[in-house]
Amino acid sequence: MATSSLLLIASCIISVLLQAASASKTRHFKWEVGYIYASPDCNEKILMGINGQFPGPTIRAKAGDTIHVELKNTLHTEGVVIHWHGIRQLGTPWADGTASISQCAIDPEETFVYRFRVEKAGTYFYHGHYGMQRAAGLYGSLIVDAADGEAEPFRYDGEFNLLLSDWYHQSIYDQTVGLSSKPFRWIGEPQVNNALATYRRNPPPVIRVLGIETTKSKLKKIVGPHKQQAVRYRDSPINQKRLWGPLSWFWLSPPTEQLTSPFLRQEEPIAYRTHQTPPASSTLLINGRGQYNCSLAAHLIEGSNACESTSKDCAPVVLRVLPNKTYRLRIASTTSLSSLNLAIGVSKPSLANHKMVVVEADGNHVEPFMVDDIDIYSGESYSVLLTTDQNPSSNYWLSIGVRGRKPKTSPALAIVNYRPNSPSKLPESSPPIAPEWNDYNHSKSFSYRILARRGAPKPPQRADRRIVLLNTQNKIDGYTKWSINNISLALPPTPYLGSMRYRLKNAFDAGTPPENFPSSYDVMRPPTNPNSTQSSNAYVIRFNSTVDVILQNANALAVNVSEIHPWHLHGHDFWVLGYGDGRFDEKDVARFNLKNPPLRNTVVIFPYGWTAIRFVADNPGVWAFHCHIEPHLHMGMGVIFAEGVEHVGKIPKEALLCGMTGKMLMDNHLP
């Protein structure tokens, strides 16, 4: 009797396992990465696409599925990799898609197979992780639905996917050369810098109206009689035709508003600007579409230019909805630079805007909370629930604006189209206005409300190790860099995963990088000694240990400047234990949230502040931890964590074809 019972139980277990195995699928994709012509903001440029498509194809799978991507590099002169952002790569660290860390870059005309399992339902994305290829358009969405027989802890009637990005007309090669130049050429927000670069190379004549406050109409009259008194620059007198030409927005300030330009040297004159509409300083894209130097809401915003292009590449995104339904918006940010704010509705105070309920962050369920708008930083993803409970006879704006930097960028707009209204029926009031760019209290209040949903895994109560990472801007031989504990990351030619797995000597810098910074360092001021060093050393972490990381922000090289930095950890989720202002202190540990901290893979540190995270080093491999702002990583803002590398299985040889491992493969010296 006992034997038959055991057999019955065993057969039931086997049956369940077989059903689970049969439910999981391997989803195959065959991709080619190459350059294509496209007009994402109605201006044709060359960008990176996949199978001739931008953004790249959306991958849709279910939790437990295996993704199999056969990726061919058809770029003519450069390598490529793809990182699967938010996917932990348990057992497949070579598929993380990080050049010089998990694999060699895929050479032109070569193919690499990414094969990995997606463990958890959520909103993810993928992107290039070699040089600045993400900024060239190499990205797309990766959506993981709940496994068969499982359900999300919230209900909705339909869903939309919103992949947010910023777009530069300046090529990534121009950008990277500028970042690595002496003197440093900061690309800043996208398109404005083309004008700034032109200005710096060929500064235009600048008017000084000799203390006379004026308006646009008066200014034209003043130019003539005072032309001889106009400031001369490079011995070139003011040129009235050029003054009112296409770039007049750049050196003339609004009527009656005097402006000392930050781009002028101190001894140069004050200028005035007309009401001529300035070109957009950057283009924000929603699902790869945006509008450069024009607005869908031009009829509602004084001074805006109407959009006239009929290109389908830049046609506005339309979310077609039915009244009194609930929709899930999956929102992910793959921006190169911009921090963003999203709101839905109109700006007219008498009309209510759509509320949103936040339910997911970075593939993890959070305790639901209601907001009017959300801040989203590069590398983050969210799901929000939108209920279409407003006046059904109207359509509404979905507006994306810039946060964290004084915006020179027009908002991106999409249409929330209440059926049966025509999608071409534009909203009757102007779009929602984003909070002030430097309203960090607003930003913090949103981040602080994100907490784990009840029943979510809790963090270990104590950490085995603490690493404090000071984020600073520095100089190395006159070049501007970003550094962590005064070390700017320089990746080695041999990927860490291969060199550590096979214990190769001299493949990267030896020694442990600093785990803290001097107690005398003042995070509220520019560094007294701005000089830094480069290194490729790595933090080796004991397998299965618990690690706290304190991300400490500080003043940059310029006085009163501290930037937002969103940090992303590969191979792990981590608990966000807390945030604070100023320098982290031991007494701040008492404030850590150990009850319901959210699990994330990307977290922000606010200007002059700190953020504390905790993770368990339970995933054998070598993992990047870095600022997700593309130029900052390019300039050295990251570190390397290695854990349990001895437990890594056989690495595909295609991941090891460069550097020292490549030479050993040629000599048949690798197992």
Side-chain angles (χ1 to χ4, degrees), residues 53-114:
Q53 180 178 332
F54 166 77
T58 295
I59 290 179
R60 191 124 203 173
K62 293 185 177 182
D65 285 351
T66 296
I67 306 298
H68 180 108
V69 178
E70 184 180 324
L71 184 74
K72 182 179 180 180
N73 178 10
T74 63
L75 302 170
H76 299 298
T77 59
E78 61 192 293
V80 72
V81 296
I82 289 185
H83 169 56
W84 314 93
H85 189 105
I87 305 302
R88 291 197 60 194
Q89 300 295 348
L90 290 163
T92 52
W94 51 82
D96 191 46
T98 47
S100 295
I101 302 171
S102 64
Q103 69 171 104
C104 300
I106 308 164
D107 286 334
E109 298 306 315
E110 295 294 332
T111 297
F112 184 84
V113 174
Y114 289 102

Side-chain angles (χ1 to χ4, degrees), residues 109-176:
E109 298 306 315
E110 295 294 332
T111 297
F112 184 84
V113 174
Y114 289 102
R115 186 180 177 90
F116 55 90
R117 194 166 183 261
V118 289
E119 304 283 343
K120 185 168 56 175
T123 304
Y124 308 101
F125 59 98
Y126 61 84
H127 60 80
H129 213 294
Y130 182 54
M132 291 180 61
Q133 291 179 346
R134 173 161 52 98
L138 186 53
Y139 50 79
S141 295
L142 198 170
I143 307 299
V144 181
D145 293 309
D148 289 337
E150 298 182 5
E152 301 273 20
F154 42 84
R155 300 184 65 180
Y156 50 94
D157 302 301
E159 72 172 60
F160 298 96
N161 185 41
L162 301 175
L163 185 61
L164 312 180
S165 56
D166 45 15
W167 176 243
Y168 290 78
H169 288 178
Q170 193 177 11
S171 78
I172 59 171
Y173 311 107
D174 286 339
Q175 295 178 41
T176 54

Side-chain angles (χ1 to χ4, degrees), residues 325-597:
K325 299 289 184 181
T326 297
Y327 294 88
R328 179 181 188 170
L329 305 186
R330 296 181 180 268
I331 308 162
S333 174
T334 184
T335 54
S336 172
L337 173 68
S338 305
S339 302
L340 303 175
N341 177 269
L342 181 150
I344 299 172
V346 293
S347 64
K348 185 178 283 188
S350 60
L351 297 177
N353 280 338
H354 289 77
K355 303 286 187 182
M356 293 175 284
V357 178
V358 181
V359 293
E360 177 215 345
D362 295 352
N364 295 284
H365 297 139
V366 300
E367 196 64 27
F369 64 98
M370 185 175 291
V371 293
D372 294 313
D373 58 86
I374 70 168
D375 280 352
I376 181 168
Y377 305 98
S378 179
E380 292 186 329
S381 65
Y382 291 99
S383 283
V384 301
L385 301 182
L386 168 73
T387 300
T388 51
D389 55 2
Q390 300 300 300
N391 181 355
S393 65
S394 297
N395 290 337
Y396 297 87
W397 300 111
L398 184 150
S399 179
I400 309 291
V402 170
R403 303 280 283 125
R405 292 178 178 273
K406 192 169 185 178
K408 304 177 183 72
T409 309
S410 300
L413 297 175
I415 305 295
V416 178
N417 168 218
Y418 273 60
R419 294 178 177 176
N421 300 329
S422 167
S424 62
K425 178 183 179 180
L426 295 177
E428 299 166 359
S429 186
S430 53
I433 298 172
E436 286 294 316
W437 68 273
N438 58 353
D439 183 356
Y440 294 117
N441 287 332
H442 184 91
S443 304
K444 292 173 183 177
S445 67
F446 174 74
S447 295
Y448 295 174
R449 293 182 68 187
I450 301 171
L451 300 170
R453 193 178 182 99
R454 277 171 289 185
K458 294 183 183 296
Q461 292 299 295
R462 291 177 180 80
D464 301 305
R465 183 176 179 182
R466 181 192 295 167
I467 300 172
V468 183
L469 301 178
L470 174 67
N471 295 234
T472 56
Q473 194 178 42
N474 298 87
K475 293 283 188 178
I476 298 179
D477 297 328
Y479 295 94
T480 302
K481 298 290 183 181
W482 286 98
S483 300
I484 305 303
N485 292 349
N486 212 42
I487 294 178
S488 185
L489 179 64
L491 296 174
T494 303
Y496 292 96
L497 185 64
S499 62
M500 289 187 175
R501 175 65 178 81
Y502 298 112
R503 300 180 182 180
L504 306 184
K505 294 182 178 179
N506 303 317
F508 58 92
D509 293 336
T512 302
E515 302 205 2
N516 210 326
F517 61 97
S519 59
S520 60
Y521 193 95
D522 187 351
V523 301
M524 306 303 290
R525 299 178 183 276
T528 304
N529 178 3
N531 295 316
S532 182
T533 58
Q534 282 188 313
S535 180
S536 59
N537 52 18
Y539 293 92
V540 178
I541 299 171
R542 180 168 55 85
F543 187 50
N544 277 329
S545 63
T546 299
V547 181
D548 280 359
V549 178
I550 311 298
L551 291 163
Q552 176 68 64
N553 213 340
N555 202 104
L557 287 172
V559 177
N560 296 327
V561 174
S562 183
E563 297 192 23
I564 282 176
H565 299 293
W567 275 73
H568 172 58
L569 178 58
H570 293 228
H572 302 78
D573 283 341
F574 51 74
W575 291 275
V576 182
L577 302 184
Y579 304 84
D581 298 322
R583 180 171 177 149
F584 176 80
D585 189 90
E586 189 63 34
K587 67 179 183 296
D588 293 318
V589 174
R591 299 168 45 200
F592 284 178
N593 175 15
L594 300 178
K595 179 183 176 182
N596 57 352

Side-chain angles (χ1 to χ4, degrees), residues 136-388:
L138 186 53
Y139 50 79
S141 295
L142 198 170
I143 307 299
V144 181
D145 293 309
D148 289 337
E150 298 182 5
E152 301 273 20
F154 42 84
R155 300 184 65 180
Y156 50 94
D157 302 301
E159 72 172 60
F160 298 96
N161 185 41
L162 301 175
L163 185 61
L164 312 180
S165 56
D166 45 15
W167 176 243
Y168 290 78
H169 288 178
Q170 193 177 11
S171 78
I172 59 171
Y173 311 107
D174 286 339
Q175 295 178 41
T176 54
V177 170
L179 293 170
S180 306
S181 293
K182 186 169 61 174
F184 175 62
R185 297 187 184 186
W186 168 233
I187 54 176
E189 290 190 54
Q191 276 57 270
V192 73
N193 265 55
N194 294 330
L196 296 187
T198 300
Y199 176 86
R200 286 168 175 156
R201 288 193 298 267
N202 303 295
V206 188
I207 310 173
R208 188 203 303 268
V209 192
L210 303 179
I212 303 173
E213 282 199 356
T214 185
T215 63
K216 176 181 175 181
S217 59
K218 289 180 182 178
L219 180 59
K220 286 188 176 181
K221 296 177 183 178
I222 290 171
V223 170
H226 292 281
K227 187 172 183 179
Q228 70 282 4
Q229 297 177 358
V231 172
R232 292 173 180 265
Y233 194 96
R234 293 187 180 175
D235 300 320
S236 174
I238 207 143
N239 179 308
Q240 189 165 354
K241 182 177 179 182
R242 187 175 182 185
L243 173 67
W244 302 103
L247 287 179
S248 64
W249 65 273
F250 183 70
W251 61 87
L252 301 173
S253 68
T256 71
E257 176 187 319
Q258 271 190 317
L259 173 71
T260 304
S261 169
F263 310 111
L264 301 175
R265 288 188 289 273
Q266 191 172 5
E267 68 273 12
E268 292 177 329
I270 291 172
Y272 290 81
R273 182 168 62 189
T274 71
H275 262 322
Q276 182 176 346
T277 303
S281 58
S282 76
T283 312
L284 301 179
L285 305 182
I286 303 173
N287 293 345
R289 300 184 199 174
Q291 295 77 39
Y292 170 63
N293 195 25
C294 68
S295 174
L296 300 176
H299 62 297
L300 298 168
I301 303 174
E302 184 179 355
S304 296
N305 300 321
C307 299
E308 298 177 356
S309 174
T310 57
S311 170
K312 65 179 182 180
D313 284 359
C314 59
V317 171
V318 177
L319 282 59
R320 292 176 170 85
V321 300
L322 292 171
N324 299 312
K325 299 289 184 181
T326 297
Y327 294 88
R328 179 181 188 170
L329 305 186
R330 296 181 180 268
I331 308 162
S333 174
T334 184
T335 54
S336 172
L337 173 68
S338 305
S339 302
L340 303 175
N341 177 269
L342 181 150
I344 299 172
V346 293
S347 64
K348 185 178 283 188
S350 60
L351 297 177
N353 280 338
H354 289 77
K355 303 286 187 182
M356 293 175 284
V357 178
V358 181
V359 293
E360 177 215 345
D362 295 352
N364 295 284
H365 297 139
V366 300
E367 196 64 27
F369 64 98
M370 185 175 291
V371 293
D372 294 313
D373 58 86
I374 70 168
D375 280 352
I376 181 168
Y377 305 98
S378 179
E380 292 186 329
S381 65
Y382 291 99
S383 283
V384 301
L385 301 182
L386 168 73
T387 300
T388 51

